[in-house]
Amino acid sequence: MGNDGHSSAPRRVPRPLSPLREHLRDTFWFAPTVGLAGAVVLASGVLELDRLLIRTLQDDGDYAEVDALIKIANDAKTIISTVGSAMLTFVGVVFSISLVAVQMAAGQMTPRVVRLYVRSRITKCTFAVFLATFLFTLLVQASYEGNTDPRTVSTVPFVSAVLCVLMVLVSLGLFVAYVNSTIRLMRVAHVIDRIIRESFRMLDRHIRTVVPGTPGLPPAEAEIVHRGRAGVLRDVHIARLVRVARRHGTVLRLIPRVGDYVVPGTPVLAVHGGTVPPPRALRYTVSVGVERTFHQDLGFGLRQLSDIAQRALSPAVNDPTTAVQCLDRIVQFLAAIADRPLGMLHHHDRKGAIRLVQDLPGWTDLVDLGFTEIRGCATEQPQVTRRLIAGLDDLLHLAPEERRPPLERHRALLTQAVERAVPAAAERDFAVLPDRQGIG
């Protein structure tokens, strides 16, 4: 079944942990927790190294060296105490900056870009290192002894103090990088650029296994219904579904698209051929959440760009230049897939047999998603209509003949909307004149 007509299709063995990795990236607790655990492990190891160093020097009778280390450690104690209190203040500052940035982004662009801040590696790394440095300094302070006799002292936190200073330097560097990254994410151009880059990463991961049309599947033996909570279908565990289908000699087909809202009782998987897998084997293969993600959702990037453009075109904001920037990236994305196959996503097992079939948005779906709502808001904004006309003309030039009808439809509808909204003939002619910059 897997080789019937598709032997030349590229095959990719899915990574088993890819959904877990993506889900952890969508959380904010994991990186700081790892940082705190790492601080405890690091402090335990370094403090033991300090004990070993002092024990070795005492065994060698080098008490003068031990006394020198005690003096250095005592001098550094003030620095360590200051670092401990300062790190907690830094954590508060970072949290405040993040909160303000998230509020501004959600208000000025769209609430769906908040996930960019949640997934920001530099933000998580900064929080993790700051908390780790704070906990590390506390553990180092607790290791200080009142005993200053080089003959009987059991530990001197010399290496720990040096490492604490190094962690402070790393924290300061991360703070500068964090502020720079946050300021960039508060600028709409950089947010739009991040969205389109994530869209292309998702496209490159999945488009290689797309095969036009539907494979010759036997009739569905059964349908597996969703028994979890209601929510947005975020992704599916591809590797686990492929293993289950191979074990039962069947082909599974995902019925809803990733990004659809599913409720309990909704059919999510169709079983074609073979034996029907038991419900237990399919546990944790479908992930449902409160919002869409980029992980397996081909249209989510266009959804975000369309939302940003619509908010920019609202009377309260009235920022057509931002809408033009969104159109630039929408046209870029559609141009990249204009001649690529769009249809069913096929996942193979190690022997090359199709085991999981997943539906993707078609060309018409993506064109409508990218242009429909912007076109409805842009009829009185000549900068946007001119850019939209130019973008449609570029796509008409790039797209094959069979993919031109939705583009021609949007161009005709835009021209008709401008004719209805703009009474003066000269202004109408100006508004539908193609211009890749809108109006300069």
Side-chain angles (χ1 to χ4, degrees), residues 92-151:
V93 171
V94 171
F95 180 77
S96 301
I97 293 175
S98 298
L99 188 61
V100 171
V102 167
Q103 289 176 334
M104 291 184 63
Q108 294 181 358
M109 287 174 277
T110 171
R112 272 147 297 283
V113 303
V114 172
R115 64 182 303 277
L116 294 178
Y117 295 85
V118 176
R119 291 172 63 90
S120 173
R121 288 189 176 93
I122 186 64
T123 302
K124 293 179 182 179
C125 186
T126 302
F127 267 101
V129 172
F130 279 17
L131 290 174
T133 303
F134 172 69
L135 182 58
F136 184 83
T137 55
L138 291 183
L139 295 175
V140 172
Q141 289 182 64
S143 70
Y144 272 87
E145 297 181 0
N147 184 10
T148 58
D149 187 354
R151 297 177 179 273

Side-chain angles (χ1 to χ4, degrees), residues 187-198:
R187 298 166 60 185
V188 66
H190 290 285
V191 171
I192 293 173
D193 183 66
R194 282 282 298 274
I195 291 172
I196 199 65
R197 281 192 284 116
E198 287 203 34

Side-chain angles (χ1 to χ4, degrees), residues 76-279:
K77 187 174 182 180
T78 304
I79 298 176
I80 295 174
S81 301
T82 304
V83 168
S85 58
M87 281 297 107
L88 200 58
T89 304
F90 261 113
V91 170
V93 171
V94 171
F95 180 77
S96 301
I97 293 175
S98 298
L99 188 61
V100 171
V102 167
Q103 289 176 334
M104 291 184 63
Q108 294 181 358
M109 287 174 277
T110 171
R112 272 147 297 283
V113 303
V114 172
R115 64 182 303 277
L116 294 178
Y117 295 85
V118 176
R119 291 172 63 90
S120 173
R121 288 189 176 93
I122 186 64
T123 302
K124 293 179 182 179
C125 186
T126 302
F127 267 101
V129 172
F130 279 17
L131 290 174
T133 303
F134 172 69
L135 182 58
F136 184 83
T137 55
L138 291 183
L139 295 175
V140 172
Q141 289 182 64
S143 70
Y144 272 87
E145 297 181 0
N147 184 10
T148 58
D149 187 354
R151 297 177 179 273
T152 59
V153 67
S154 61
T155 182
V156 177
F158 170 72
V159 178
S160 305
V162 173
L163 185 58
C164 183
V165 173
L166 293 177
M167 291 179 69
V168 171
L169 296 177
V170 172
S171 299
L172 293 176
L174 277 175
F175 182 72
V176 174
Y178 162 77
V179 172
N180 178 69
S181 174
T182 303
I183 291 175
R184 285 171 61 90
L185 285 177
M186 293 172 67
R187 298 166 60 185
V188 66
H190 290 285
V191 171
I192 293 173
D193 183 66
R194 282 282 298 274
I195 291 172
I196 199 65
R197 281 192 284 116
E198 287 203 34
S199 298
F200 275 116
R201 278 197 293 268
M202 184 271 163
L203 181 66
D204 291 337
R205 281 200 305 267
H206 294 287
I207 206 69
R208 293 186 297 246
T209 54
V210 173
V211 177
T214 305
L217 299 177
E221 300 287 340
E223 291 183 344
I224 309 297
V225 300
H226 176 57
R227 300 192 181 279
R229 61 172 182 166
V232 176
L233 180 59
R234 301 175 63 190
D235 54 43
V236 294
H237 199 308
I238 296 171
R240 185 173 297 169
L241 287 173
V242 168
R243 287 197 301 268
V244 171
R246 178 179 55 81
R247 192 177 303 124
H248 293 83
T250 186
V251 178
L252 298 175
R253 177 172 56 86
L254 186 67
I255 297 175
R257 288 178 181 169
V258 173
D260 288 355
Y261 194 88
V262 296
V263 298
T266 302
V268 290
L269 290 168
V271 182
H272 297 266
T275 59
V276 179

Side-chain angles (χ1 to χ4, degrees), residues 320-321 324 328 382-384 386-387 430 434-440:
T321 302
V324 168
D328 291 339
Q383 181 181 359
V384 183
R386 288 160 62 96
R387 178 64 186 99
F430 179 79
D435 188 339
R436 291 191 179 91
Q437 294 187 21
I439 307 177

